[in-house]
Amino acid sequence: MKSKTICLTAMTLLAAVVAVRLAAQGRPRSEGKEQLRYRLVDIGTFGGPNSGNNGESIVMNSEGDVTGFADTSTPDPTCFTDCFVTHAYRWRDGVLTDLGALPGGPGSATNGIDSHGQIVGQSENGLVNPLNGIPELIATVWQDGKVIDLGTFGGNFSLASMNNDHQQVVGCATNDIPDPFISSGVLFGLGLDPNQLRAFRWEGKKLHDLGTLGGADACAVWINNRGQITGASFTNSIANADTGIPTMDPFLWDDGKMIDVGTLGGTVGMGFIVNNRAQLIGISSLAEAPGACITGPSSGTPGCHAILWQRGKLTDLGTLGGDFSIANWINDEGEIVGVASTPGEQTVHGTLWKNGKIIDLGTLPGDCASQAFAINSQGLIAGQSFPCDASPPRAVIWESDGTVHDLNALVQPGSGLELTDPKIINDAGAIVLEGLLSNGDQHSVVLIPCEAGEEGCMDSAEAARLAAPRTSAPTLNRAGMVTSPQQRLIPRGGFAAWRAQVLRRYLIPGLGAPKK
């Protein structure tokens, strides 16, 4: 169940790169604190090998509850890779609770949790979709001890991708009208119900169809606390020659209206996040390579670019000199983090867009690539740094002054976990991430800020010895790009491999393919 749910809850395209704003347990870092350090909590599993959290999702609420998915010991004969039935979980104060699934359904997984403990995601229901022969996956809400089936618009698939603090839920669901672009597998693939896919909002009664921008399909991936929604929609029903699908634009749904955010001239754009100031981030292809966000860039042409839309204006956030960028998260201060390629397509680096400038965050010393996933209101950024030998990435944190730390060096040794994949950092500095065991299994992990003398926290001497921060002082060139002292020239093949590893996280077809 896990692999099927992860792929489908990412929606392959429209529900990819869902990020969060959190205010959860832990204590804020005070001015002058000598060293960042954390208490590591291994959330564990339900008897199977793995547990995890969907990337760029609301996986921790203001009460410190964490949600995700964990393997049971029950074999899953319909799996793609990890052949164990996966159940949605809720973790709080050291207690891991199995949330179960819809009646008849063996497996489930979650995407988010709000401040009141409402959890959203997806569950099998025990039925087989007669249109494609795979188990049905249905949008699900866990609330007040109940497992609620959100249903569909007449089809056999739905997904709850996000909720807000007012318990408004968004996602997408199929209807009973055949859709050639879905059934062809060009757009969503992975066994989705081959009918039209429609964006929805749910508020405890029934699904409300949000409409489209003129085409047949749309999906909602994010809702803020003002009830504003973003995602992507077809604008017509005419397939483009380069992608095989109609033009797809990001949208902002506000007060009953779906607003076309537009693109940078290309035929593919997606909205990922809209913060509480109605600032929307996403990606778009350019006129020079109109379908590049799906097909990948052609030789000598640009790929996808990160975008920002606010007050009716669409802005190309640019790159670090290469051909593509992705914006992963925006906080309510308007600070954006993500990843971008460097001049000559030499590598990809974690990127910060702030006050109209693009800043290269660099890497850990000796590493060759990085990416940034989330930023909190204090300017702390969580992400990954990639060693040059293509070994697993290391989870990192950048401080607001540019100092980067390997998170593995900020926890007590002996956990048996190598921290690799951060999901989010909250305003108190707590981090939800995944770690690898020596046998290759992965577990959900929570890092809680702590101070010397606390149980599970390193003392000052140990912290100073293990931590190896590097402070970068990037300078801006005339184009507003940075010249990073950490940027390293690497072989073309190495760049392609790292870019593919970066983009596999988002399951966007074509984006992970090496540029030809």
Side-chain angles (χ1 to χ4, degrees):
M1 172 64 189
K2 182 180 74 172
S3 296
K4 291 180 297 188
T5 303
I6 294 172
C7 292
L8 292 173
T9 51
M11 284 309 295
T12 312
L13 278 176
L14 299 182
V17 198
V18 181
V20 302
R21 180 175 185 269
L22 301 170
Q25 66 181 359
R27 66 172 56 78
R29 186 170 186 236
S30 59
E31 291 295 327
K33 187 173 181 180
E34 59 183 25
Q35 177 65 58
L36 287 172
R37 70 197 81 191
Y38 298 89
R39 176 167 63 88
L40 184 153
V41 180
D42 182 351
I43 287 179
T45 74
F46 295 126
N50 298 300
S51 59
N53 314 88
N54 280 331
E56 288 71 61
S57 297
I58 300 175
V59 294
M60 183 185 292
N61 69 7
S62 56
E63 301 300 315
D65 298 358
V66 177
T67 192
F69 47 86
D71 284 342
T72 68
S73 58
T74 303
D76 183 358
T78 62
C79 69
F80 289 146
T81 55
D82 179 358
C83 296
F84 292 88
V85 170
T86 298
H87 279 189
Y89 76 71
R90 176 175 180 167
W91 178 92
R92 184 175 189 180
D93 295 333
V95 177
L96 181 63
T97 301
D98 188 337
L99 296 178
L102 292 173
S108 60
T110 64
N111 288 327
I113 182 170
D114 75 357
S115 62
H116 306 288
Q118 182 196 64
I119 294 172
V120 302
Q122 207 173 21
S123 172
E124 293 175 327
N125 61 5
L127 301 178
V128 174
N129 187 335
L131 300 178
N132 54 26
I134 70 168
E136 291 187 2
L137 291 164
I138 301 297
T140 305
V141 168
W142 289 264
Q143 181 176 323
D144 301 326
K146 299 178 181 179
V147 185
I148 304 170
D149 183 337
L150 300 193
T152 71
F153 291 122
N156 304 89
F157 172 87
S158 58
L159 160 75
S161 59
M162 187 67 64
N163 57 344
N164 64 13
D165 287 342
H166 304 295
Q167 300 192 336
Q168 297 172 316
V169 181
V170 298
C172 40
T174 54
N175 59 26
D176 58 359
I177 303 173
D179 187 321
F181 305 113
I182 299 294
S183 60
S184 69
V186 173
L187 179 56
F188 298 104
L190 295 175
L192 283 181
D193 185 348
N195 287 331
Q196 291 179 354
L197 190 70
R198 310 290 291 206
F200 74 72
R201 184 186 63 182
W202 181 89
E203 295 183 82
K205 294 182 180 179
K206 63 179 182 178
L207 300 184
H208 171 63
D209 191 333
L210 299 181
T212 74
L213 294 175
D217 302 284
C219 186
V221 300
W222 180 271
I223 183 169
N224 65 16
N225 282 331
R226 296 169 60 180
Q228 296 167 317
I229 301 166
T230 192
S233 170
F234 287 152
T235 63
N236 55 56
S237 298
I238 303 171
N240 294 292
D242 53 350
T243 63
I245 62 171
T247 296
M248 181 167 63
D249 283 5
F251 69 77
L252 176 71
W253 191 94
D254 186 21
D255 195 24
K257 297 179 181 179
M258 183 176 285
I259 301 167
D260 191 339
V261 169
T263 70
L264 300 173
T267 60
V268 179
M270 309 171 205
F272 293 152
I273 306 165
V274 56
N275 68 8
N276 290 317
R277 294 171 57 189
Q279 296 172 304
L280 185 155
I281 61 170
I283 58 171
S284 171
S285 55
L286 279 63
E288 300 94 312
C293 288
I294 293 178
T295 62
S298 302
S299 179
T301 64
C304 279
H305 281 203
I307 57 172
L308 168 67
W309 183 91
Q310 56 182 338
R311 295 185 294 277
K313 180 181 179 181
L314 182 64
T315 301
D316 183 346
L317 292 177
T319 74
L320 294 172
D323 74 1
F324 88 102
S325 57
I326 290 180
N328 288 332
W329 168 251
I330 181 170
N331 61 20
D332 281 343
E333 287 71 38
E335 298 167 323
I336 303 167
V337 296
V339 61
S341 56
T342 61
E345 296 302 288
Q346 293 297 321
T347 188
V348 290
H349 278 183
T351 305
L352 169 66
W353 289 272
K354 182 177 180 179
N355 297 328
K357 303 292 184 180
I358 181 171
I359 300 171
D360 185 342
L361 295 173
T363 70
L364 286 173
D367 282 2
C368 286
S370 64
Q371 60 179 330
F373 294 140
I375 180 171
N376 69 6
S377 63
Q378 312 304 315
L380 293 172
I381 300 169
Q384 292 176 317
S385 183
F386 295 83
C388 298
D389 61 2
S391 58
R394 295 179 283 179
V396 298
I397 184 169
W398 285 274
E399 298 191 71
S400 58
D401 64 359
T403 302
V404 61
H405 302 269
D406 183 346
L407 283 169
N408 292 278
L410 303 181
V411 298
Q412 274 192 339
S415 70
L417 288 161
E418 180 182 359
L419 305 178
T420 60
D421 190 1
K423 305 298 180 179
I424 195 64
I425 181 168
N426 67 8
D427 285 344
I431 304 169
V432 177
L433 68 165
E434 290 170 4
L436 288 176
L437 297 168
S438 59
N439 65 358
D441 294 342
Q442 71 178 28
H443 282 189
S444 295
V445 174
V446 182
L447 298 186
I448 302 172
C450 61
E451 296 183 359
E454 294 183 9
E455 182 179 358
C457 196
M458 292 186 295
D459 61 33
S460 298
E462 188 176 28
R465 177 178 65 82
L466 291 176
R470 183 269 303 148
T471 301
S472 62
T475 56
L476 298 178
N477 63 20
R478 292 181 181 178
M481 307 271 185
V482 302
T483 302
S484 170
Q486 286 73 42
Q487 182 172 306
R488 300 183 55 177
L489 301 182
I490 62 176
R492 178 73 180 185
F495 164 76
W498 283 309
R499 185 168 76 168
Q501 188 170 4
V502 164
L503 294 170
R504 275 196 298 272
R505 177 181 175 103
Y506 312 117
L507 301 171
I508 302 176
L511 277 177
K515 178 181 175 183
K516 297 180 181 180

